[in-house]
Amino acid sequence: GGAGLVGATAGFALGRGPGSQGTGTGDGGLPRRDLDGANGPQTEPFFGTHQSGVETPTQAYAHFIAFALKPGIKAAEAVRWLRLLTADAAALTQGQAPLADSESELAVDPARLTVTFGFGGKLVALAGKEHVPDWLKPLEKFSIDRLDADRSKGDLLLQICGDDPLTLAHARRMLFKDSRSFAEVAWQRDGFRRAYGSSGEGKTQRNLFGQLDGTANPGPGSEDFARIIWGQGTETTDPVFSARGEPPADLGAHLPAWMRGGTTLVLRDIAMNLDTWDKADRPAREFSVGRTMDTGAPLSGKDEFDVPDFTAVDERGLTKISQVAHIARARDGLGPEVQIHRRTFNYETGAGGDSGLLFASFQADIERQFLPIQRRLAEVDLLNEWTTPIGSTVWAIPPGATEDGYVGQELFE
Ligand code: HEM
């Protein structure tokens, strides 16, 4: 299945906050809630086993905001901060204004708002150094990296996603206000995909190179997803496993006890050079990835979701998918455990400005899943000609909070 499956209307009826029952009028003088088909009332759950914003069908917009703890912050203050953020994120995602909200009307249409918390090593260490997992540190340096140190740090990450940019801006401001006495903003990045409703449900998004991006992701809700991202194997006898064979059930083994129900995030900020990409013709573009530009089908097949055949040869006896094409390097010969969930967002800062991908990769085990892929891509990948990693961070994604708890409670208590 593809990423970018736009969520069904799960939660549609549940998502009406107190403010949404009113009889106010919209821009055209219509009663707001008579706007048939508007996506504003749609919600994603906040509380639960897992945090939302990972398996959640990817929304149209994302704000990533990384905070650096102020000097002298101790565990008790961190807990106070996390409680505040949890309470406000929980309210905002359900279309309810937090108590201190001075623009409460902006909270009314959540449009599938999610707030996903990521913890860095320094925040975790406030609860005790022994709780910091060994993988929670910057990735090893890759030859392709041109990292900006200012974009490669932070102690707490908020990944704020939703289908409405105004709602997102408001949520970011509220959560920023909650944070001012505890932390400084280390960096922030904004990304986007297709606007809600513009290309229909279930369609894979395109990135700024024009490629379909997300085709080979594990499908949300699948047994693959549970194993590959949550590291939670189940004993079902009828799994819908991927074409690569059954991913092992022990991928969560390197998640510490406080992270059960959580996962890991590697966030790479990857610049894409649109000027040099413009100079590559269509066959060169397709050759570099191993898929066609129009349908996204592997060069060995016809449809987007055909399983790539890396042994198929053309009339000259050459493999149809080059061994140095991106998908061959990212997949061919790697075991069923070496899979990730890519929840990527485009960014661009205007004509002649920066363009790229906020490459958010979720996986239960960085060492067994992300690194084998990234090491191979750094070694050889035709796509490297046009892409440059400029930011890189690693985050522990704690489990979801309980209704009377807060995100990170398992760590601090
Ligand atoms: C697949 C683009 C960076 C891992 C793909 C595909 C495209 C693509 C077009 C094929 C369609 C799909 O399955 O989504 C890009 C671009 C990148 C980038 C433009 C940078 C700007 C990365 C990085 C990694 C990665 C950094 C991991 C370290 C993968 C994987 C697949 C994939 C695992 C699926 C392979 C398969 O199983 O078929 N990428 N990618 N990509 N990419 Fe990337």
Side-chain angles (χ1 to χ4, degrees):
L5 289 168
V6 171
T9 47
F12 188 90
L14 300 171
R16 292 156 190 258
S20 65
Q21 309 291 344
T23 52
T25 56
D27 290 345
L30 294 166
R32 299 184 67 258
R33 297 296 141 178
D34 286 355
L35 296 174
D36 235 8
N39 63 311
Q42 293 184 18
T43 55
E44 295 292 343
F46 182 80
F47 299 108
T49 315
H50 310 303
Q51 291 195 67
S52 288
V54 179
E55 193 158 3
T56 307
T58 311
Q59 298 98 322
Y61 306 96
H63 290 337
F64 291 90
I65 175 164
F67 292 98
L69 287 165
K70 285 193 169 168
I73 296 284
K74 303 258 182 343
E77 286 144 309
V79 167
R80 226 168 7 106
W81 183 27
L82 290 169
R83 279 189 185 280
L84 258 177
L85 290 174
T86 298
D88 286 359
L92 288 162
T93 58
Q94 305 309 306
Q96 289 158 17
L99 278 181
D101 195 343
S102 39
E103 292 82 30
S104 53
E105 292 79 6
L106 293 180
V108 172
D109 287 318
R112 296 208 304 128
L113 179 71
T114 56
V115 179
T116 314
F117 295 53
F119 292 0
K122 199 169 155 190
L123 179 61
V124 176
L126 293 181
K129 285 206 171 61
E130 68 280 13
H131 296 301
V132 185
D134 53 2
W135 47 261
L136 189 55
K137 58 178 187 216
L139 297 182
E140 65 204 52
K141 185 163 169 27
F142 299 101
S143 55
I144 51 172
D145 288 355
R146 299 289 176 272
L147 300 186
D148 176 350
D150 288 337
R151 267 183 218 173
S152 307
K153 60 184 186 188
D155 306 321
L156 179 120
L157 177 79
L158 296 179
Q159 176 199 257
I160 311 172
C161 299
D163 287 327
D164 184 279
L166 184 58
T167 301
L168 237 64
H170 176 246
R172 172 163 62 184
R173 167 128 182 99
M174 292 305 298
L175 300 171
F176 166 72
K177 288 204 285 187
D178 287 343
S179 304
R180 280 199 285 222
S181 31
F182 306 98
E184 317 268 4
V185 174
W187 55 263
Q188 41 191 330
R189 302 290 279 163
D190 297 345
F192 61 90
R193 299 158 73 101
R194 294 259 190 225
Y196 175 86
S198 68
S199 67
E201 291 193 7
K203 293 283 176 1
T204 308
Q205 77 135 354
R206 287 188 189 268
N207 61 34
L208 292 169
F209 283 164
Q211 302 160 330
L212 286 171
D213 192 340
T215 303
N217 271 333
S222 66
E223 176 74 6
D224 271 2
F225 203 101
R227 294 202 176 191
I228 294 167
I229 284 73
W230 302 121
Q232 292 182 338
T234 55
E235 295 302 316
T236 169
T237 51
D238 183 26
V240 187
F241 285 121
S242 74
R244 306 211 5 214
E246 192 170 315
D250 69 339
L251 286 167
H254 285 286
L255 298 176
W258 66 268
M259 282 188 71
R260 292 291 141 72
T263 186
T264 78
L265 165 62
V266 175
L267 183 60
R268 306 272 286 171
D269 183 339
I270 306 177
M272 293 166 42
N273 192 329
L274 299 187
D275 287 335
T276 55
W277 180 254
D278 277 351
K279 299 200 174 83
D281 61 13
R282 189 160 282 251
R285 292 173 176 208
E286 298 186 334
F287 190 72
S288 70
V289 173
R291 289 182 176 273
T292 65
M293 292 298 296
D294 55 354
T295 62
L299 297 179
S300 60
K302 281 201 201 64
D303 296 323
E304 182 187 352
F305 295 106
D306 285 350
V307 175
D309 177 355
F310 296 103
T311 61
V313 290
D314 62 16
E315 53 289 350
R316 293 171 298 166
L318 301 170
T319 54
K320 291 184 175 174
I321 301 173
S322 162
Q323 286 168 352
V324 288
H326 185 66
I327 65 164
R329 295 298 293 164
R331 172 180 186 136
D332 188 22
L334 295 172
E337 75 282 12
V338 190
Q339 296 192 61
I340 57 182
H341 181 59
R342 293 164 291 133
R343 205 171 187 276
T344 59
F345 293 90
N346 304 303
Y347 69 83
E348 61 112 17
T349 60
D354 300 329
S355 303
L357 210 53
L358 298 171
F359 183 89
S361 173
F362 293 95
Q363 55 282 307
D365 190 325
I366 291 177
E367 185 64 49
R368 286 172 75 187
Q369 298 177 283
F370 183 84
L371 284 174
I373 303 173
Q374 182 63 87
R375 286 182 187 131
R376 278 188 22 154
L377 296 182
E379 205 177 272
V380 197
D381 171 11
L382 289 176
L383 206 57
N384 289 343
E385 174 80 19
W386 302 281
T387 62
T388 311
I390 56 175
S392 180
T393 43
V394 173
W395 303 96
I397 305 296
T402 56
E403 280 193 38
D404 48 5
Y406 61 93
V407 178
Q409 186 162 14
E410 298 80 356
L411 171 63
F412 285 96
E413 282 169 23

